[in-house]
Amino acid sequence: ERLAPASVTKGMTLLLIMEAIDSGKISWQDTVTASEAAAAKGGSQVYLKVGETMSVEEMVKSITVSSANDCACAMAEYIAGSEAGFVEKMNAKAKELGMEDTNFVNCTGLDDEPSAAEDTDGHLTTAYDIALMSRELITSYPKIRDYCLIWMEDITHTTQKGTSVFGLSNTNKLVRFYEGTTGLKTGYTSAAGHCLSASALRDGLELVAVVLHCPSSTDRFQSAKALLDYGFANYALVPVQEGETLSPVPVVLGQSETVQPVASGEEQLLIDKGLRQSVTRTV
């Protein structure tokens, strides 16, 4: 079902930021200046002033931990020149990932902005599409977990008036209250309801649970926990090869009588936990 994702949108914003860092287009230490448009964003924010500068790393931290709309906009402008240009990149990436039911109109998920009202396709996605986006973010850029797992931390505002400290507090309460949590992103607007893309890792298995349009914040965390509990209770990863030595292969007219093959990697398969005891392997 196509629904408004609120700030879970920023999963795509963060994906493109991480991609830009990884490609060398920008770096963690780059200084980003807040424009008038960025400073004017409503909703969750760290209250950037026009002309204020902050490092890319502090911006990413603010977006991930506190869902800062002003930082998301500043980063979008820094990477693509304008928020509209960045949104084009967001939609192109969505297509590339197979997110067939997604249309982004801004980088924040604010659905009361003029851009959201003007676009006839709306700012909409599905839980499935968000799961695809979330999986791409955590598997391609595992460093994002370092920021997702910050519970509370201070950032420093530096303006012409001097410096001041602003406290970030993680909007994802699973970070503290669900074992194995690795991320990822919360969202809320009155139209979208309470949204969450939650990821967690146990016994080598990492799962993503997405819930949209929940009636309360408590409900979104409970619903995501129920989905993750179900996944961990019912599924497991088993190694395809369990350390057995492969037989040497005879060599005809070679410098050695045999060559010793080795497995190419630690391949694992996802199976129903109930079948784990009946797995057999044939080499």
Side-chain angles (χ1 to χ4, degrees):
E1 187 180 351
R2 297 187 80 214
L3 294 166
S7 280
V8 178
T9 299
K10 296 190 186 91
M12 181 60 86
T13 303
L14 288 165
L15 177 56
L16 292 181
I17 293 170
M18 297 301 282
E19 205 174 67
I21 294 167
D22 191 57
S23 69
K25 183 180 179 182
I26 65 173
S27 83
W28 289 105
Q29 287 71 46
D30 285 1
T31 299
V32 181
T33 305
S35 68
E36 208 165 304
K41 291 285 177 187
S44 305
Q45 54 188 311
V46 293
Y47 302 98
L48 293 174
K49 299 284 185 277
V50 179
E52 181 181 347
T53 61
M54 197 177 269
S55 70
V56 166
E57 182 167 25
E58 294 286 271
M59 290 265 181
V60 168
K61 196 181 289 181
S62 300
I63 295 166
T64 310
V65 179
S66 285
S67 199
N69 293 319
D70 42 4
C71 292
C73 181
M75 284 304 304
E77 292 171 344
Y78 185 64
I79 290 171
S82 67
E83 185 177 2
F86 189 80
V87 170
E88 283 180 24
K89 289 178 179 287
M90 292 171 73
N91 285 317
K93 190 68 181 179
K95 282 194 172 57
E96 185 189 314
L97 294 175
M99 297 166 64
E100 294 177 4
D101 296 305
T102 296
N103 183 62
F104 294 119
V105 300
N106 57 47
C107 66
T108 59
L110 289 168
D111 42 36
D112 56 356
E113 283 196 332
S115 60
E118 289 161 12
D119 194 300
T120 52
D121 290 329
H123 189 90
L124 298 169
T125 184
T126 64
Y128 177 76
D129 282 2
I130 288 171
L132 292 178
M133 174 179 87
S134 301
R135 181 177 64 181
E136 178 68 15
L137 178 59
I138 57 178
T139 54
S140 295
Y141 306 106
K143 186 175 171 64
I144 198 67
R145 295 180 180 92
D146 297 345
Y147 301 98
C148 291
L149 294 177
I150 293 169
W151 181 241
M152 297 183 94
E153 196 166 305
D154 291 339
I155 58 167
T156 303
H157 282 293
T158 305
T159 63
Q160 291 174 334
K161 294 180 180 177
T163 60
S164 60
V165 173
F166 184 85
L168 303 177
S169 180
N170 205 319
T171 54
N172 181 9
K173 303 312 173 194
L174 296 187
V175 167
R176 194 143 184 207
F177 301 111
Y178 189 78
E179 182 198 339
T181 295
T182 55
L184 198 58
K185 193 70 204 71
T186 60
Y188 171 78
T189 67
S190 54
H194 296 266
C195 308
L196 175 65
S197 176
S199 59
L201 175 69
R202 291 183 188 175
D203 299 323
L205 175 63
E206 189 163 25
L207 300 176
V208 174
V210 181
V211 289
L212 299 173
H213 221 277
C214 295
S216 69
S217 183
T218 302
D219 181 71
R220 74 175 160 193
F221 293 125
Q222 293 297 341
S223 298
K225 275 162 61 172
L227 282 168
L228 292 168
D229 284 347
Y230 174 85
F232 288 127
N234 290 285
Y235 294 91
L237 286 173
V238 295
V240 172
Q241 192 212 9
E242 278 202 319
E244 68 260 45
T245 308
L246 300 174
S247 300
V249 177
V251 177
V252 179
L253 300 177
Q255 292 183 4
S256 305
E257 293 292 312
T258 60
V259 288
Q260 179 60 54
V262 292
S264 62
E266 293 295 308
E267 191 62 42
Q268 299 193 98
L269 291 178
L270 182 70
I271 64 161
D272 189 304
K273 258 188 179 173
L275 302 173
R276 194 161 44 175
Q277 302 311 316
S278 56
V279 169
T280 58
R281 297 171 177 82
T282 306
V283 178

